[in-house]
Amino acid sequence: MVIETMWQLKNYNYILAFLFAIEEINKDPYLLPNLTLGFSLYNAFNKYEKPLENILLWFSGGNQTVPNYNCQKQSKSTAIIAGTTLEFSSILGPLLGLYRIPQVTYGAFDSSLSDKDQFPSLYQMAVKDKFLVRGLICLLLHFEWTWVGVAITDNVESETFVWTLKAEMAKKHLCILFIEKLPTSWVRTINLYEGIALSTEDAKVNVYLVYGDSDIFISIHMHSRLTEYSGKLWIMATESYVDLYKMKSIMGLFHGSLSFSSPKRDVPGFEHFIKKMNPSKYPEDFYFKRFWLNAFNCVFSGSSLCGKFKDCPPNASLEFMPGNTDMMVMSESSYLVYNAVHTVTRALHEMLLEEADMGLTRDSSLPVPLSWKLHRFLRSLQFTNSIGDHVSLDEQRESKKQYDILNIALFPTAQDFLVKVGEFVINGTSYQSLVIHDEVIEWPMGLEKVQPPISVCNQRCGPGFKKVTQSDETCCFECVFCLTGEISNTQDARECIQCSEQEYSNEERTHCLPKLVTYLDFEDSLGMALACTALCFSVLTAGVLWVFVKHQDTPIVKANNRTLSYILLISLLLCFLCSFLFIGHPHPVTCILQQITFGLVFTVALSTVLAKTIVVLLAFKSMKPGRIMRWLLASGGSNYVIPICTLVQMVICAIWLGLSPPFIDVDTHSEPRHLLIVCDKGSIAAFYCVLGYLGSLALVSFSLSYLVRNLPDTFNEAKFLTFSMLVFCSVWVTFLPVYHSAQGKLMVALEIFSILASSAGLLVCIFAPKCYIILIRPDKNSLKSLRNKIDR
């Protein structure tokens, strides 16, 4: 096996995980029994140091590059475990594909390496991180950061990530102000920071998302102009483990920021392995000596460096390694190395078992199994490792993921500057959980006044308002107060909620309150006033009727057809009393009776006035020669006017009841805070037919009474009939437009008022003068007075 190591101390953690896995496998009696797993460690130089030439040296197995030849016989590797850089894997992959040598990478997942046509022998231990975007969005929503900037590494993988992020943020109404791409090299143009300065001035962006490996943080830090933006909060989002401890010298810029990264793994036995690890255990490993010297500034006895450095104490162990690096647990990348070793070993174990079952024997001259046979077993391999995780090389395998949320807090006296402040756990699409301990987070300098910091385009809209976006930017908006009948009980509501018809909105537009059921009741001041008025006029009408009955033999009562006067007074009494049908809780019976009774009793009243007018007209016309007028007057033809006119109105009412009778209805719109129980008229056309017919009778009566108003007679009531019809018509002509503009109880009260006003007009105009003569001037209501007036 081959493992790539950059000559940097941070990469030796991968070596330790690799050595631990080898030792664990060799101690396992069930894995590769009777075989010892060997390995070789090679350093893969970076892309600026002729990587292809170094790879060919390894293939050739000597000190010279011999294309298409391999001089290694006994130490030929079965598989290769390659390192973290994409450049190295992309150069090595096609070459290994020619030889069909399996290559397992432990770097971050890269979709470009999944092309099996270009990389037929390459397997990625890491899987595509499908949940990092969801975790970041949950974090932004938790702190209500809706207006952020993004900086990414300039490569295809980062572009794929940022466009996925942008699409998912749009669904949650989160916005990205700018997306800046940083080159993979550490050289950066100043345009990025000019762009950040302009954007920061125009909108208060206090939060920046950074996606990439450690190089991106170093690239940012290398530009001193960015230091003027220290005090901004950076969210470090990485799919692979970034050892921030190794970059402590540049972390001052990121004080108070958050790191969104995979957790370290506590693998059984690894802690004990690390405690026992020292250079004497692997004397041929020169790099481990350098690692130990750098960590402890001492050497073991027997080292070639003796005399220059002090000897290490006997109990020296990586357990007590200075600094903040926790060597007892594996980082995410080291964990992938550990799984990669086990994956290759188990695939080799399965292949050897199959050969044994088939009775095949291996040639002693070929102790190393053929590499190309291993592919079938690698593709189908699945197992559970020592900490219970499911391991396979299927790129779609992972359904559960956990991230640690670390807070970067650098203080002079503090050793550990990474503090775990939360975690995000997601299991497929069914479960996700974000836990944040806000109280322990150390925020960046300058953003401590408001905790957590604010990063929005606009301040939030409170309850009672809705957000109306400006142009196409969903994060920039204005707050608009909800309309009447609408509410919003949350902050930043996109739309106001319409209250139901049984509810109304309070003045603050934050709650829907139940409407009170109401109607024109006798207990209301308006209802009580109308009821008292109707009662008073009813009593007055009854009093006038009693006066007329008591004085029925007097000339003024006889002169105006006392039978018609009685009918008119009784009909007026019923007109006043029918007002009570409109007051009180509506009932199906009262809804029908109030309109029908109103139409019929007013028809009787108006037809009686018409009959009185006809009597006066016939009385004077009969004095002229001719038998027809005398016959009509003598036969009582005017008495047929009342039943005929009433019959016509009854037909109209019958049609009304047959087609669409009045019914109980709930008016939810007239009064915003009340549910008004009213009687719906059913057919509006029928209602106006009733009113139109009454208007026709009134106009005919007015016209006839106007014609006979000046006829000579001692007790001619034509003038009073004319004036009463004028009052009646005025009341109902005024009623129609006002009735249409009224709402709720006022509409019912207006109809009652019109009934009372028109009835009172008839009563006062027709009978007040007669009652004055009967009660105040009885001397004018006698035969003697009548003869004296005739003689004069």
Side-chain angles (χ1 to χ4, degrees):
M1 297 184 184
V2 176
I3 186 165
E4 171 255 350
T5 63
M6 299 294 289
W7 287 105
Q8 299 178 27
L9 295 178
K10 67 174 185 178
N11 287 340
Y12 204 77
N13 292 322
Y14 309 150
I15 300 294
L16 295 176
F18 179 81
L19 295 176
F20 169 70
I22 295 292
E23 184 174 302
E24 186 180 53
I25 291 169
N26 286 332
K27 289 180 179 180
D28 191 339
Y30 301 103
L31 275 177
L32 301 180
N34 302 321
L35 288 177
T36 299
L37 188 64
F39 63 91
S40 297
L41 294 177
Y42 290 87
N43 180 61
F45 297 96
N46 62 48
K47 62 181 179 180
Y48 302 108
E49 298 178 357
K50 303 178 182 180
L52 185 58
E53 180 178 340
N54 291 305
I55 293 170
L56 289 175
L57 282 173
W58 171 75
F59 271 118
S60 300
N63 297 323
Q64 294 181 351
T65 301
V66 183
N68 210 30
Y69 279 90
N70 192 320
C71 300
Q72 302 176 86
K73 295 182 178 180
Q74 300 299 322
S75 60
K76 185 177 180 181
S77 298
T78 304
I80 293 176
I81 298 175
T84 58
T85 61
L86 171 64
E87 292 81 6
F88 177 73
S89 296
S90 61
I91 294 173
L92 182 63
L95 190 59
L96 292 176
L98 295 175
Y99 295 92
R100 301 191 67 185
I101 299 175
Q103 174 190 358
V104 181
T105 66
Y106 59 89
F109 180 87
D110 193 296
S111 55
S112 62
L113 298 179
S114 297
D115 185 359
K116 290 302 179 183
D117 293 331
Q118 187 176 0
F119 306 103
S121 299
L122 189 145
Y123 303 90
Q124 298 189 72
M125 204 68 239
V127 295
K128 184 176 180 59
D129 197 333
K130 307 173 184 177
F131 306 127
L132 179 59
V133 168
R134 291 174 63 177
L136 290 173
I137 290 177
C138 286
L139 185 67
L140 294 177
L141 291 174
H142 175 81
F143 290 112
E144 300 175 355
W145 294 326
T146 61
W147 195 239
V148 300
V150 175
I152 60 172
T153 305
D154 190 6
N155 56 37
V156 176
E157 195 69 23
S158 295
E159 287 192 13
T160 302
F161 164 81
V162 80
W163 289 117
T164 303
L165 175 68
K166 190 173 183 179
E168 293 300 320
M169 287 179 66
K171 296 178 183 179
K172 301 296 183 179
H173 304 291
L174 306 175
C175 300
I176 298 176
L177 178 60
F178 61 85
I179 301 172
E180 295 294 343
K181 301 176 183 178
L182 281 72
T184 53
S185 66
W186 291 1
V187 179
R188 182 67 181 113
T189 63
I190 205 66
N191 295 334
L192 167 65
Y193 309 108
E194 292 177 351
I196 293 178
L198 178 61
S199 301
T200 306
E201 183 179 355
D202 291 346
K204 297 179 179 179
V205 176
N206 291 322
V207 175
Y208 301 86
L209 295 179
V210 182
Y211 179 82
D213 55 16
S214 58
D215 289 348
I216 194 173
F217 303 109
I218 299 173
S219 179
I220 291 174
H221 188 269
M222 287 186 65
H223 293 80
S224 60
R225 284 196 59 180
L226 192 59
T227 56
E228 63 185 272
Y229 297 103
S230 60
K232 300 299 182 180
L233 190 142
W234 303 78
I235 300 177
M236 303 175 183
T238 58
E239 289 185 348
S240 61
Y241 176 73
V242 174
D243 195 345
L244 299 177
Y245 285 106
K246 300 303 181 183
M247 299 186 293
K248 185 176 181 180
S249 59
I250 69 170
M251 285 291 104
L253 173 65
F254 304 101
H255 172 79
S257 297
L258 300 174
S259 174
F260 210 91
S261 57
S262 299
K264 292 188 175 183
R265 311 296 179 124
D266 187 7
V267 178
F270 185 67
E271 180 178 350
H272 178 75
F273 172 80
I274 294 298
K275 289 179 180 180
K276 300 298 182 182
M277 188 74 175
N278 59 60
S280 62
K281 188 174 182 180
Y282 296 95
E284 72 282 3
D285 188 349
F286 173 77
Y287 191 72
F288 189 30
K289 296 176 182 178
R290 291 184 55 188
F291 177 77
W292 191 277
L293 179 62
N294 183 78
F296 296 99
N297 197 27
C298 67
V299 295
F300 271 79
S301 59
S303 173
S304 60
L305 298 176
C306 290
K308 297 181 181 180
F309 299 93
K310 64 180 180 179
D311 292 337
C312 294
N315 61 344
S317 170
L318 292 178
E319 178 184 5
F320 309 109
M321 183 174 176
N324 302 293
T325 303
D326 187 1
M327 302 293 293
M328 300 297 104
V329 291
M330 290 185 183
S331 68
E332 180 70 9
S333 295
S334 297
Y335 180 66
L336 293 177
V337 172
Y338 172 79
N339 282 337
V341 175
H342 272 276
T343 299
V344 173
T345 302
R346 290 174 184 271
L348 180 60
H349 179 80
E350 293 293 331
M351 185 180 71
L352 295 177
L353 283 180
E354 183 181 86
E355 291 181 355
D357 291 340
M358 296 175 63
L360 299 177
T361 59
R362 179 168 301 280
D363 188 352
S364 60
S365 63
L366 297 173
V368 179
L370 297 176
S371 299
W372 62 268
K373 292 184 177 182
L374 204 59
H375 287 287
R376 178 165 59 91
F377 298 94
L378 285 173
R379 285 193 292 266
S380 60
L381 181 68
Q382 295 186 27
F383 67 96
T384 302
N385 65 13
S386 59
I387 63 173
D389 288 348
H390 179 74
V391 180
S392 72
L393 293 177
D394 181 9
E395 294 181 358
Q396 307 296 325
R397 61 189 177 272
E398 190 168 29
S399 62
K400 182 178 180 180
K401 185 73 174 179
Q402 176 179 336
Y403 301 91
D404 284 346
I405 301 174
L406 307 177
N407 182 217
I408 301 173
L410 289 100
F411 296 103
T413 58
Q415 292 294 326
D416 192 355
F417 68 93
L418 290 180
V419 180
K420 182 177 178 181
V421 295
E423 63 180 19
F424 176 72
V425 180
I426 184 167
N427 188 359
T429 58
S430 60
Y431 173 80
Q432 68 180 35
S433 172
L434 176 69
V435 178
I436 297 290
H437 304 291
D438 300 24
E439 67 279 359
V440 299
I441 298 178
E442 179 70 24
W443 300 109
M445 301 294 183
L447 298 179
E448 297 175 327
K449 294 181 179 179
V450 180
Q451 297 184 4
I454 297 174
S455 187
V456 296
C457 181
N458 294 93
Q459 292 299 323
R460 303 183 64 178
C461 292
F465 293 85
K466 68 176 179 179
K467 294 168 60 174
V468 177
T469 57
Q470 302 172 1
S471 66
D472 296 330
E473 186 53 74
T474 60
C475 293
C476 297
F477 52 85
E478 59 180 348
C479 300
V480 178
F481 196 54
C482 292
L483 300 176
T484 302
E486 297 179 342
I487 65 163
S488 66
N489 49 19
T490 59
Q491 290 186 327
D492 292 337
R494 291 286 167 179
E495 295 293 338
C496 294
I497 304 172
Q498 181 70 45
C499 293
S500 66
E501 293 186 346
Q502 288 73 34
E503 297 175 321
Y504 70 95
S505 58
N506 60 350
E507 294 182 359
E508 294 78 16
R509 305 291 193 270
T510 57
H511 293 88
C512 289
L513 304 177
K515 291 182 177 181
L516 300 176
V517 177
T518 185
Y519 48 87
L520 187 61
D521 196 10
F522 289 100
E523 297 180 358
D524 293 343
S525 56
L526 182 60
M528 184 177 296
L530 293 173
C532 291
T533 302
L535 183 61
C536 291
F537 277 110
S538 300
V539 173
L540 181 61
T541 305
V544 173
L545 179 60
W546 177 80
V547 169
F548 267 63
V549 171
K550 185 176 181 180
H551 299 85
Q552 59 182 338
D553 295 326
T554 58
I556 194 170
V557 177
K558 290 180 178 181
N560 298 130
N561 195 328
R562 60 187 175 189
T563 302
L564 293 179
S565 296
Y566 295 156
I567 296 174
L568 180 57
L569 286 171
I570 294 173
S571 62
L572 290 177
L573 177 61
L574 294 176
C575 286
F576 288 121
L577 293 177
C578 80
S579 300
F580 290 97
L581 294 174
F582 292 83
I583 306 175
H585 194 291
H587 189 273
V589 176
T590 58
C591 284
I592 294 175
L593 286 180
Q594 60 183 215
Q595 301 298 338
I596 303 303
T597 304
F598 155 73
L600 291 178
V601 296
F602 263 90
T603 300
V604 174
L606 291 177
S607 60
T608 303
V609 173
L610 179 60
K612 276 178 166 289
T613 306
I614 292 174
V615 168
V616 174
L617 182 63
L618 292 178
F620 284 95
K621 294 293 183 179
S622 63
M623 297 179 182
K624 298 180 180 181
R627 296 181 180 179
I628 297 178
M629 295 298 179
R630 290 183 180 181
W631 178 79
L632 288 174
L633 182 62
S635 61
S638 60
N639 296 332
Y640 295 102
V641 172
I642 298 175
I644 292 175
C645 293
T646 305
L647 181 61
V648 174
Q649 187 70 288
M650 292 178 64
V651 172
I652 296 174
C653 292
I655 296 174
W656 185 0
L657 295 177
L659 294 178
S660 180
F663 59 90
I664 295 179
D665 192 17
V666 179
D667 184 357
T668 60
H669 304 290
S670 298
E671 298 185 16
R673 300 189 177 187
H674 294 87
L675 292 174
L676 183 61
I677 309 299
V678 295
C679 288
D680 192 287
K681 292 177 175 55
S683 174
I684 299 297
F687 173 71
Y688 283 111
C689 285
V690 170
L691 288 183
Y693 182 68
L694 292 177
S696 301
L697 290 179
L699 287 176
V700 173
S701 299
F702 173 76
S703 302
L704 292 179
S705 59
Y706 182 80
L707 293 176
V708 298
R709 71 188 187 285
N710 293 323
L711 293 177
D713 188 30
T714 303
F715 298 114
N716 183 12
E717 62 178 352
K719 292 182 180 180
F720 306 124
L721 295 176
T722 302
F723 191 66
S724 67
M725 289 297 99
L726 182 62
V727 172
F728 183 89
C729 292
S730 299
V731 169
W732 287 101
V733 169
T734 306
F735 163 79
L736 291 176
V738 179
Y739 181 78
H740 279 291
S741 61
Q743 289 184 333
K745 292 190 288 186
L746 185 60
M747 181 182 291
V748 182
L750 184 61
E751 188 171 357
I752 298 174
F753 175 79
S754 299
I755 292 173
L756 295 178
S758 57
S759 301
L762 293 177
L763 178 66
V764 173
C765 293
I766 296 176
F767 294 101
K770 299 177 181 180
C771 290
Y772 173 77
I773 294 175
I774 294 173
L775 299 177
I776 307 301
R777 299 295 301 274
D779 55 294
K780 292 184 177 183
N781 189 22
S782 61
L783 292 175
K784 181 179 179 180
S785 174
L786 185 61
R787 291 192 188 100
N788 292 336
K789 190 173 181 179
I790 294 174
D791 292 339
R792 288 197 298 268

